[in-house]
Amino acid sequence: MQNDYLLNVKHLTTRFHTPRGVAHAVNGVSFGMYPGEILGVVGESGCGKSVTAQSVMRLIPEPPGRIEKGEILFGGMDLAALTLRQMRKIRGDRISMIFQEPMTSLNPLKTVGKQIGEVYALHRGVSKKESLDKAMEMLEKVQVPEARRRVTEYPHQLSGGMRQRVMIAMALACDPEILIADEPTTALDVTVQAQIMDLMLKLQDQHKTAIMMITHDLGIIAEMANRVVVMYAGRIVESASTRVLFHETGHPYTKGLMNSVPVIGAKDAAGNSRLTEIPGMVPSLYELPEGCSFAPRCPHQNKRCRTELPPLFTVSPGHDVRCWLCESACEKGAVA
Amino acid sequence: MTNLLTVENLKVHFPVKGGFCGYSDVVHAVDGVNLTLKKGETLGIVGESGCGKTTTGLGIMKLVEKTQGTLNFDGADLDSLSPAELRKTRQKMQMIFQDPFSSLNPRMTVNRAIGEPMKVHGMGNKTERADRVAWLLKKVGLSPEQGNLYPHEFSGGQRQRIGIARALALNPLMIIGDEPVSALDVSIQAQIINLLIDIQKEFNLSYVIISHDLAVVEHICDRIAVMYLGKVVEEGTCEEVYANPRHPYTKALLSAIPYPDPDRPRDRIILTGDVPSPIHPPKGCNFHPRCPNRQEGCDLVEPDLEMKSPGRKVACHYF
């Protein structure tokens, strides 16, 4: 199975060395992505989901950040060991990324046509004219109305939704194998978010691009992802297919997360609307607790949880949970 | 029950420079909004960015100059009050803001931040105020010892608790929450929502909750007003509006929310285009350029917000 992975991240550890101390942003994260699938990465702020993506793209600012350990296997290479020059060839061509805030990730001084064409010209070595044609084609593909006029416009002339479409056009110009989308719809209104999600699913279907969908929104995960990785304090705490994750939730944190999200139509008959909250807060990445990081907030914690970090137990094929409670549920020795 | 707050035909327009040959344009941020709020009730105002929901909240608080309209709060017309009377009335209406990082003074200890409104309004003496601050901190789930700390020493959720304590300091009748949980992570969001529900019961507060998050609003509100481009397009009890939305915009808005259940069938109404500019709102019905149910006449005649069934108002010619 493992050989089918398009991207295989093994024991990735990324830390930031700051004047305040060492921030343990990503602590031994391992996961794989199959070609053409949508992998959801979900977690709250500071759980390491964005740093994981930036590590894969080698976009960690160095210093203070550093990939300390681990391999990022892609196309027979270890991305973690490449030189920046080699990495630049892959970025935007075979793996590309879109970000949360399209305004800050577009160059305000260049027309959108130039920016989209630039990626294509750089990786394919085509002429200016060809790259502009490609930009127009891509804008049409991401359903920007009046693409001919839009190529000559600047980012500030576009709405938030249109800018995100431009980002997607730019990311997909070279037909990458993997698209990493870091909270691509968080800054957008719900009706525009629906448009962008719809567009991403359509394009994914056409191009069979594998998408790593990073989000804090379980609703987006449920609607888009095939498989999900749940992160907490820099570690994967649960991974499963989307359906299994929602129906056979294993980790107390995942359960807590699902119960704390207000869902429309979920008030009980008495109109009682209290949410089940997760007490406390996310631990500081500068001083992670010993043992399970979630133990201080966990309703099921015992002495062992506070001293010993649980491994990922495979509770059923493809469903891993990092919790001592699952130890008995998994077959002996089935540790992922 | 009598209305605590009545807003009639509220309009807030902002002049902007620019436009053709330097003629100034006008942003129709709020364009004729009518709202009521009963004692102990929670009204949700929802809509997307730029729909005027925040400006409506600021207009009610008299934090922006309104262009037109009347505001009646706790039996008094706010325009007819003298500055001294207005100050007194203002104690009864408080606001919680979205960003707990920028709404607290970084140079004030939490004790001072919460105690200052009481000092300004001459409530109690120094020790009474200090006692009340400690009591308020406990009410919002913080310890009195934390009162000596500065805002930067708190997390986002804790800062929002401080903001709530500050709003409670003057014994208000009404609190307007402008996106009170939007900046928080889901697990923390649930804590703050629960806190808001608890203190509402304890202090018999009325809330106006302004939010873009329809799930949050459904959770805490009794009634909901959906805004689009400066106008209310639909209003009713939460139960009814969510179960049976009538305005095409409300329908699209509700269908656009990603639902955390992979087995739920998706019948999403995808709107085309973006919200039009509030500088030149479309003629006729504001929503007609994006409306999937547009019919003849929608681009000519503006629909009024009419009572279509008991307690249910809709601004649409056809639904």
Side-chain angles (χ1 to χ4, degrees):
Chain A
M1 271 282 259
Q2 292 234 330
N3 301 335
D4 304 339
Y5 283 143
L6 174 63
L7 175 78
N8 193 359
V9 176
K10 286 181 173 173
H11 312 294
L12 177 70
T13 302
T14 305
R15 294 189 185 131
F16 290 88
H17 300 265
T18 69
R20 242 186 94 186
V22 181
H24 301 259
V26 178
N27 307 306
V29 162
S30 303
F31 65 92
M33 262 180 96
Y34 296 107
E37 78 168 340
I38 302 185
L39 176 74
V41 180
V42 69
E44 300 179 283
S45 11
C47 74
K49 54 192 194 302
S50 291
V51 177
T52 302
Q54 285 164 9
S55 301
V56 172
M57 285 297 270
R58 292 285 301 279
L59 288 173
I60 299 291
E62 249 175 280
R66 231 183 91 192
I67 299 177
E68 308 260 335
K69 256 186 273 173
E71 295 176 325
I72 303 165
L73 304 175
F74 170 75
M77 296 169 286
D78 177 9
L79 300 186
L82 292 189
T83 62
L84 287 180
R85 180 189 289 266
Q86 288 168 316
M87 192 61 213
R88 267 202 292 274
K89 284 214 173 101
I90 294 172
R91 239 186 254 145
D93 185 13
R94 300 185 63 188
I95 308 180
S96 49
M97 187 161 178
I98 53 177
F99 301 89
Q100 173 173 349
E101 188 24 84
M103 193 58 209
T104 51
S105 31
L106 288 170
N107 186 337
L109 298 176
K110 283 187 179 172
T111 63
V112 297
K114 246 193 195 152
Q115 294 188 56
I116 300 169
E118 198 176 38
V119 189
Y120 195 65
L122 194 73
H123 289 293
R124 297 283 182 272
V126 297
S127 71
K128 225 177 175 179
K129 166 96 187 36
E130 269 175 274
S131 72
L132 264 184
D133 288 344
K134 180 72 184 179
M136 202 122 55
E137 180 200 320
M138 288 311 296
L139 278 183
E140 271 163 19
K141 194 168 256 171
V142 296
Q143 296 161 14
V144 170
E146 301 172 80
R148 190 161 292 279
R149 184 166 63 86
R150 294 292 187 189
V151 283
T152 62
E153 289 194 342
Y154 291 88
H156 76 268
Q157 293 169 290
L158 307 176
S159 67
M162 284 300 155
R163 282 182 209 138
Q164 201 53 285
R165 283 170 198 268
V166 169
M167 283 298 295
I168 294 172
M170 204 189 288
L172 296 182
C174 293
D175 209 356
E177 289 149 78
I178 300 177
L179 172 69
I180 301 178
D182 189 358
E183 304 262 11
T185 60
T186 307
L188 307 174
D189 280 316
V190 271
T191 58
V192 181
Q193 167 171 291
Q195 294 171 0
I196 298 290
M197 281 167 63
D198 185 56
L199 174 73
M200 286 181 76
L201 284 173
K202 260 186 207 148
L203 292 174
Q204 199 267 345
D205 197 44
Q206 281 169 22
H207 295 257
K208 303 290 172 222
T209 315
I211 299 180
M212 189 194 290
M213 187 79 189
I214 299 169
T215 179
H216 67 279
D217 188 334
L218 285 166
I220 292 177
I221 293 287
E223 303 214 352
M224 291 190 72
N226 308 116
R227 279 194 316 129
V228 192
V229 163
V230 183
M231 288 188 71
Y232 186 80
R235 288 194 185 93
I236 292 177
V237 293
E238 182 159 8
S239 69
S241 74
T242 307
R243 189 151 282 142
V244 168
L245 187 88
F246 279 89
H247 294 313
E248 294 157 44
T249 316
H251 199 281
Y253 174 64
T254 319
K255 282 183 196 158
L257 210 53
M258 287 184 184
N259 290 335
S260 58
V261 181
V263 176
I264 288 175
K267 275 192 200 176
D268 64 20
N272 194 345
S273 49
R274 259 192 96 80
L275 293 166
T276 322
E277 51 189 79
I278 306 178
M281 336 174 243
V282 180
S284 159
L285 294 174
Y286 291 97
E287 41 202 317
L288 287 176
E290 233 181 287
C292 172
S293 309
F294 187 61
R297 304 175 75 188
C298 184
H300 309 291
Q301 53 123 345
N302 56 37
K303 210 172 157 197
R304 190 182 188 187
C305 300
R306 273 168 281 148
T307 50
E308 225 178 311
L309 176 71
L312 275 169
F313 292 108
T314 304
V315 290
S316 65
H319 185 189
D320 299 336
V321 183
R322 189 186 291 282
C323 177
W324 288 119
L325 290 180
C326 296
E327 189 183 21
S328 51
C330 86
E331 301 132 51
K332 223 177 171 190
V335 172
Chain B
M1 262 202 289
T2 48
N3 286 337
L4 178 67
L5 173 78
T6 312
V7 179
E8 271 173 54
N9 194 27
L10 179 69
K11 287 189 183 177
V12 182
H13 295 174
F14 298 106
V16 281
K17 280 202 180 137
F20 184 62
C21 293
Y23 284 102
S24 72
D25 280 325
V26 168
V27 177
H28 303 79
V30 179
D31 215 12
V33 163
N34 297 294
L35 293 170
T36 57
L37 181 71
K38 293 193 180 75
K39 281 211 171 99
E41 187 184 41
T42 305
L43 171 72
I45 302 180
V46 299
E48 299 179 283
S49 28
C51 74
K53 54 190 192 300
T54 294
T55 312
T56 303
L58 295 176
I60 295 170
M61 292 293 291
K62 283 178 95 59
L63 291 172
V64 291
E65 194 75 31
K66 65 182 188 322
T67 313
Q68 208 185 317
T70 56
L71 298 168
N72 196 300
F73 178 76
D74 199 19
D77 181 351
L78 293 187
D79 287 324
S80 69
L81 298 178
S82 68
E85 286 169 324
L86 182 63
R87 261 169 70 102
K88 236 179 148 50
T89 309
R90 269 225 173 111
Q91 295 182 22
K92 303 288 167 206
M93 43 208 276
Q94 292 292 321
M95 198 153 182
I96 308 170
F97 299 92
Q98 169 172 4
D99 184 356
F101 293 83
S102 60
S103 54
L104 290 171
N105 186 337
R107 293 170 169 233
M108 270 191 196
T109 62
V110 169
N111 277 339
R112 248 186 90 195
I114 300 175
E116 187 161 63
M118 292 188 266
K119 201 170 160 193
V120 168
H121 286 279
M123 227 172 110
N125 61 33
K126 215 171 171 184
T127 44
E128 281 167 2
R129 286 200 298 264
D131 287 348
R132 186 166 166 80
V133 169
W135 181 77
L136 284 165
L137 281 172
K138 267 194 251 166
K139 280 285 160 215
V140 297
L142 296 170
S143 71
E145 293 77 47
Q146 287 172 299
N148 295 319
L149 304 176
Y150 286 89
H152 76 265
E153 295 172 86
F154 292 88
S155 68
Q158 288 174 321
R159 277 183 235 206
Q160 205 54 302
R161 288 176 192 271
I162 297 167
I164 292 170
R166 183 177 58 180
L168 287 175
L170 294 171
N171 276 323
L173 294 172
M174 173 180 83
I175 292 181
I176 297 184
D178 186 5
E179 303 272 10
V181 296
S182 303
L184 309 173
D185 270 319
V186 271
S187 70
I188 307 299
Q189 183 176 307
Q191 297 175 0
I192 300 297
I193 290 176
N194 284 344
L195 175 65
L196 286 171
I197 293 173
D198 291 345
I199 58 170
Q200 175 170 39
K201 279 189 196 135
E202 186 168 348
F203 296 93
N204 192 25
L205 294 166
S206 306
Y207 283 150
V208 177
I209 300 292
I210 297 162
S211 179
H212 70 280
D213 188 328
L214 286 123
V216 167
V217 165
E218 198 236 8
H219 236 83
I220 36 185
C221 297
D222 306 307
R223 268 189 318 124
I224 177 178
V226 182
M227 284 188 72
Y228 187 77
L229 220 56
K231 293 191 164 88
V232 174
V233 295
E234 181 158 4
E235 197 201 308
T237 64
C238 264
E239 259 166 31
E240 279 186 54
V241 173
Y242 282 86
N244 177 27
R246 293 181 66 166
H247 195 283
Y249 178 64
T250 317
K251 284 182 195 165
L253 202 59
L254 282 170
S255 82
I257 304 165
Y259 202 89
D261 177 359
D263 295 327
R264 195 172 196 251
R266 285 164 220 167
D267 41 5
R268 180 160 287 161
I269 305 164
I270 299 206
L271 294 178
T272 50
D274 290 303
V275 182
S277 152
I279 296 178
H280 303 290
K283 284 215 170 61
C285 171
N286 267 342
F287 187 57
H288 86 263
R290 299 175 80 195
C291 183
N293 308 94
R294 180 180 52 217
Q295 296 182 37
E296 221 172 294
C298 286
D299 53 344
L300 299 171
V301 186
E302 195 192 320
D304 289 325
L305 187 65
E306 283 171 13
M307 191 82 92
K308 298 265 178 171
S309 58
R312 187 65 166 285
K313 293 181 192 164
V314 186
C316 179
H317 294 305
Y318 298 97
F319 289 94

